Amino acid sequence: MKIQQKQTLKTPVNDEKIIELYWLRDEKAIEETDFKYKNYLFSIAYNIVHEKSDSEECLNDTYLGAWNSMPPTRPNILKAFLTTIVRRVSINRYHSNSRKGRVPSEMTVCLSELENFISDDNDVDAEFDAQRLGSIISDFVRGLSKRKRFIFLSRYYVADPIDTIAKNMNLSRSTVDKELAAIRSALKEKLESEGYYI
Amino acid sequence: MKRAEWNEGLNHIDTDIIENYVEQKDKYISISKRKRTWLKIGALAACFCLIASIIVIPTAFKTEDPLYHPFNSDSNFILPSISVISTGTEINGKTHIVSGDNDTDNGSASKIPEGFYVHTVVQANVIEVLQDLYYTPSRGAAGKYRIARLEIVDPIIGEKMPREINLRFSGYSADIFEKHDTFIFSLNQIGIENYMMINDTKNEVEYFPDMFEVEIDILRYGSVIPFKDGKVDYSFGGSWSFPSNLSPLSGEYTIENVKKRIIDLSQNKEDYFVHLSTSPDYVTIDDVFSAEECKQIKNCILPTESNIFMHNIAVHSNRVVVNYTRVINGFETDEKIVVTVYSKDKGNVTREGEAYTPEELSRMPNIGEVLENINLDEIRSPRIDNLDGIKHKRVSADGCYRKREGKVYGIVRIIWWCDFSTVYSVGYEQDARYYLYDAEGNGKIVKGEKLEELFGGHWLIP
């Protein structure tokens, strides 16, 4: 992974102004988004697809997604809004690449951690209800402590490596490992109680 | 439950959960930075002495297979320091400034606002694919390429193109050029007439005028379209797929239909993601230094024994912008000179980063020597024992120079490459080890975050 951000005298514009630019259909919105959030969004995309060119395409698709969504959307927190878009776009690319058999990314590692209740198959059943599962996972996450919630989302939502999570939280790696093991155990129970089996 | 279902479910979790997460992450990162501690200099100096005393183990290169890439082997490797040519080259009566690599990465190489590079779309036939492997002087083994000679049959978008050009490409095997009749390429011009590369097997510098590169980000999903018997050939290998935005509105995918679509798209300014310039020209060195302000700096960026300025160019509708980056003994610095030319009479020059003085250039920490003396086999990856299923494959080292507040630093990075159960390798940037050297050659191990503090932003060696 090779990312470089050069020094610049430009300062980031605040999120409200950026959102306003989207609403005014001013292309500077994308420029400002890129300037402020490129590295952050790229790191999420790269965690998932682990190829620079794919990650850059995901970034482009994210900006397009943001452009197409605003208006009518006016997000409370732009960074979170962009996070959901980049994740969705990157996951689609990830599954497409997986079908061709090539994704040595952090996402592959964290999905393999969930092998007790998630199978290898990358195809979605026609009858699958994503909204319902999303609701169940939301309930589960809300029931976690603040610390566990952060670890869960860092690992399984944005696919941060375990060492990065440990570093961010100033914890040891083994502590994060233990927390993840406990989270997975609780998650398995929750999913099974809702009728989700491997 | 299937993986795709799990991920789709995650895509549908409540928005406020993500909002809280993002805010929490920002707080954690900010607290975490304040709590970091340094390794003691004494212990680090001891590590440096140990490393400096170890004899290098050279990497063996196979030369009989022209497609063999030595850095895909199981051996460890060190990206070399390359000495540069000290004089310009006279060709056809024009002075050419010797240059190294062109960084075609729009995002990191320059601050061109629109993010456009010159791109030319041509129909071309392949005359010959050279058998040797080449690499760029400034990037060493990081930039390994093949060279193909092309004959331009039809310059679909582009003017003043030479009849024959050289195409630098990587990631494609040479045999794809043998299976097809003709191609449409979207090309990025590099090296303004004076591109030089080092022949991997002969270790000689060779000059390739009119060098172009295939630009992946143009035309979406690939910038090469192969044709056989007058139609798009979908058997083109790897992950290539026909750019969806070029689908003819009716009729078959013939050469003429695809060309028509490309021209139509180039006139459509609404589509943000189709970067087709309206006035792409082939740029020469004389174009760049035509204005008085630009002529004055021409001598400043001439190469010396120890440094060159690698450059990349962008042609916009109303100007040409060339970024020159200083490279010292094969290692990139963060000093940039940006030349903007509006016309033959009007241009300007700006600088980014701190300039390296002649005195500093004569007194640089010799990170090339550090790299030569590192025994990579002796340095353990932090991941070997910690993560099941991850096999440590090999380790690599590279370096760069940075200058902040009047002080010059040399930086060496060690990065480990691990295998998953498939055949792919992953370089763990997060586990990279960095050594920071001052002008006197004193070095210490530092965390990546320290480099971020010193040099600003999310910093990694390019």
Side-chain angles (χ1 to χ4, degrees), chain B residues 206-223:
Chain B
E206 291 193 42
Y207 168 78
F208 291 100
D210 308 324
M211 177 75 88
F212 287 77
E213 184 173 73
V214 176
E215 179 55 63
I216 289 297
D217 284 343
I218 311 298
L219 299 182
R220 304 303 295 283
Y221 307 116
S223 47

Side-chain angles (χ1 to χ4, degrees), chain B residues 47-322:
Chain B
C47 290
F48 168 60
C49 289
L50 176 66
I51 288 159
S53 66
I54 291 168
I55 298 168
V56 66
I57 297 176
T59 309
F61 293 91
K62 292 182 194 174
T63 57
E64 60 273 13
D65 179 356
L67 292 179
Y68 176 74
H69 192 307
F71 301 102
N72 285 333
S73 74
D74 284 350
S75 57
N76 292 328
F77 58 93
I78 295 174
L79 299 173
S81 164
I82 306 295
S83 59
V84 298
I85 312 300
S86 57
T87 57
T89 306
E90 283 279 337
I91 299 199
N92 296 331
K94 292 181 195 173
T95 301
H96 296 262
I97 294 174
V98 175
S99 172
D101 184 22
N102 173 65
D103 185 346
T104 58
D105 180 343
N106 289 355
S108 65
S110 66
K111 293 298 291 178
I112 299 167
E114 292 95 296
F116 278 62
Y117 274 72
V118 65
H119 32 260
T120 299
V121 185
V122 301
Q123 180 187 351
N125 297 336
V126 176
I127 301 170
E128 178 192 10
V129 176
L130 304 185
Q131 291 306 302
D132 289 326
L133 276 173
Y134 293 87
Y135 62 91
T136 53
S138 59
R139 294 191 67 201
K144 287 276 188 181
Y145 299 98
R146 300 295 299 274
I147 307 283
R149 284 177 52 224
L150 304 184
E151 177 194 10
I152 307 297
V153 172
D154 180 7
I156 304 167
I157 296 179
E159 297 171 16
K160 303 186 211 164
M161 287 289 290
R163 193 191 162 91
E164 276 187 29
I165 61 171
N166 290 294
L167 174 70
R168 177 183 90 171
F169 65 98
S170 59
Y172 297 96
S173 57
D175 62 353
I176 59 111
F177 290 122
E178 292 162 10
K179 291 176 185 168
H180 303 93
D181 305 325
T182 191
F183 295 83
I184 286 178
F185 291 105
S186 167
L187 298 169
N188 180 24
Q189 184 187 2
I190 49 179
I192 317 178
E193 291 184 343
N194 53 11
Y195 201 90
M196 307 194 75
M197 300 186 87
I198 293 181
N199 185 310
D200 187 40
T201 55
K202 297 177 198 163
N203 202 28
E204 291 168 349
V205 178
E206 291 193 42
Y207 168 78
F208 291 100
D210 308 324
M211 177 75 88
F212 287 77
E213 184 173 73
V214 176
E215 179 55 63
I216 289 297
D217 284 343
I218 311 298
L219 299 182
R220 304 303 295 283
Y221 307 116
S223 47
V224 177
I225 307 175
F227 293 87
K228 202 168 178 62
D229 299 328
K231 292 182 192 164
V232 175
D233 182 358
Y234 291 96
S235 67
F236 197 62
S239 61
W240 179 87
S241 59
F242 183 77
S244 56
N245 61 333
L246 295 185
S247 300
L249 298 179
S250 63
E252 293 178 292
Y253 287 41
T254 61
I255 296 175
E256 293 313 314
N257 282 348
V258 172
K259 280 192 217 179
K260 184 176 181 317
R261 187 78 182 119
I262 289 168
I263 292 168
D264 287 345
L265 281 173
S266 72
Q267 285 150 4
N268 179 7
K269 294 185 180 53
E270 303 270 327
D271 189 339
Y272 180 84
F273 294 103
V274 178
H275 297 293
L276 294 175
S277 168
T278 53
S279 60
D281 282 340
Y282 177 54
V283 178
T284 68
I285 266 279
D286 290 334
D287 296 331
V288 174
F289 295 108
S290 52
E292 277 309 313
E293 299 88 336
C294 305
K295 276 182 195 166
Q296 289 168 17
I297 64 114
K298 193 172 176 182
N299 286 337
C300 298
I301 56 176
L302 280 174
T304 66
E305 257 190 50
S306 62
N307 81 150
I308 60 166
F309 279 86
M310 70 176 189
H311 59 267
N312 56 34
I313 55 171
V315 172
H316 303 262
S317 54
N318 64 346
R319 65 195 187 282
V320 169
V321 180
V322 187

Side-chain angles (χ1 to χ4, degrees), chain A residues 52 79 87 142 160 197, chain B residues 1 11 14 25-26 105:
Chain A
K52 185 182 175 187
K79 191 173 183 179
R87 187 191 190 271
R142 285 189 209 285
D160 269 344
Y197 298 92
Chain B
M1 187 191 323
N11 283 342
D14 294 346
K25 189 168 193 175
D26 286 343
D105 180 343

Side-chain angles (χ1 to χ4, degrees), chain A residues 1-2 4 38 52 57 61 79 87 104 109 118-119 122-123 138 142 154 156 160-161 167 197, chain B residues 1-4 7 10-11 14 16 21 25-26 32 105 107 221 402 413 420 426 429-430 449:
Chain A
M1 165 164 53
K2 301 197 184 266
Q4 182 175 15
K38 178 177 178 174
K52 185 182 175 187
E57 286 197 18
D61 287 342
K79 191 173 183 179
R87 187 191 190 271
V109 180
I118 290 177
S119 70
N122 276 318
D123 290 327
S138 297
R142 285 189 209 285
S154 292
Y156 299 119
D160 269 344
K167 224 177 278 188
Y197 298 92
Chain B
M1 187 191 323
K2 298 169 187 172
R3 285 181 171 190
N7 274 322
L10 273 176
N11 283 342
D14 294 346
D16 66 294
Y21 166 74
K25 189 168 193 175
D26 286 343
S32 161
D105 180 343
Y221 307 116
R402 290 291 182 265
R413 176 180 67 174
F420 283 85
V426 175
E429 185 65 53
Q430 299 89 326
E449 292 85 352

